[in-house]
Amino acid sequence: MTGSTVRPPAYQQLADELRAEITSGRLQPGERLPPEPELCVKIGVSRSTVREALRLLASQHLIVTTRGVTGGSFVAHPDAEQLADGLSTGFALLSHSAAVGLVDLLELRRALEVPAAGLAAVRREEVHLGELRSALFDPDIDDFDTMLAAHSSFHRAIAKATGNPLFELVGRPLYQATYGEEVIGSLPEGYWTQIDSDHRDLVDFIAAGDAEGATRSASAHLDYIASAVR
């Protein structure tokens, strides 16, 4: 006897269909979705079902709904910060499970940060340099939480300076990952002093437009972290 297949609710099916239209590019950013009454007739569902599907898509930052005479539901323009929120939950679950360890996180960081540093050196604008300098910290004054937050902000700023929003999208949840207590308790003396020094070197190379120096500095930075947190 075969088990019956449970069909998802109608609003979920409609949301899936519209999501496929958006992610495939058939519906472009800024393009207006068909009005609710038209969707009701086309799909054969109630207005409440259509509205529930649209609310779901809005919660996933795929559409924006406005009211008024010229209102309606429009395909959202991609925003790396908002889209990264959807990755963060899954990333956090994986990074705190037995399936993913610190070595895996550092491997991903190396794959992202080394080329990102080189791209940032070539493409950065003055506003990016300002963001990088604002994310520097003082290891002699700042506490652990402040330095950890600054570290995250610094690497997100490098990702932004690449001019490639995909680096921001993938990097944001990565830099929200936290060290486990066992790692925090075993950091060597002078760890944050070295991190601060590495960050300042990176800023200098990026400001100078030295892509080779920036990639070399980013690689050495990760080499130090890998040796320090073993």
Side-chain angles (χ1 to χ4, degrees), residues 42-221:
K42 181 179 179 181
I43 309 298
V45 295
S46 68
R47 196 156 191 167
S48 62
T49 296
V50 170
R51 288 178 175 173
E52 189 64 28
L54 295 178
R55 277 194 290 269
L56 178 58
L57 293 174
S59 72
Q60 297 169 342
H61 309 299
L62 292 172
I63 66 169
V64 175
T65 299
T66 60
R67 303 300 176 190
V69 178
T70 60
S73 293
F74 300 83
V75 179
H77 290 273
D79 180 270
E81 183 172 350
Q82 287 185 331
L83 293 175
D85 290 342
L87 295 176
S88 295
T89 300
F91 192 93
L93 288 172
L94 274 175
S95 62
H96 290 94
S97 72
V100 174
L102 188 58
V103 171
D104 300 300
L105 291 175
L106 289 173
E107 189 173 86
L108 178 57
R109 284 189 60 180
R110 188 177 295 277
L112 287 172
E113 289 179 24
V114 175
L119 289 173
V122 174
R123 300 174 179 174
R124 94 293 182 280
E125 299 175 4
E126 285 302 314
V127 65
H128 299 133
L129 293 177
E131 291 174 352
L132 285 168
R133 290 172 178 137
S134 294
L136 296 173
F137 57 83
D138 187 338
D140 294 325
I141 298 175
D142 294 323
D143 60 22
F144 175 81
D145 289 338
T146 299
M147 292 188 292
L148 195 61
H151 178 273
S152 176
S153 297
F154 181 84
H155 287 288
R156 289 202 305 269
I158 289 181
K160 186 176 179 181
T162 67
N164 182 338
L166 293 177
F167 276 95
E168 288 188 79
L169 177 62
V170 178
R172 181 168 290 271
L174 172 61
Y175 301 129
Q176 289 174 341
T178 57
Y179 292 125
E181 290 184 6
E182 70 284 356
V183 174
I184 293 172
S186 63
L187 291 176
E189 184 178 354
Y191 175 81
W192 289 106
T193 298
Q194 183 62 51
I195 296 298
D196 171 60
S197 176
D198 289 351
H199 284 187
R200 292 176 188 276
D201 285 345
L202 264 169
V203 172
D204 288 344
F205 283 121
I206 291 172
D210 184 346
E212 183 178 348
T215 56
R216 186 172 60 249
S217 180
S219 182
H221 176 60

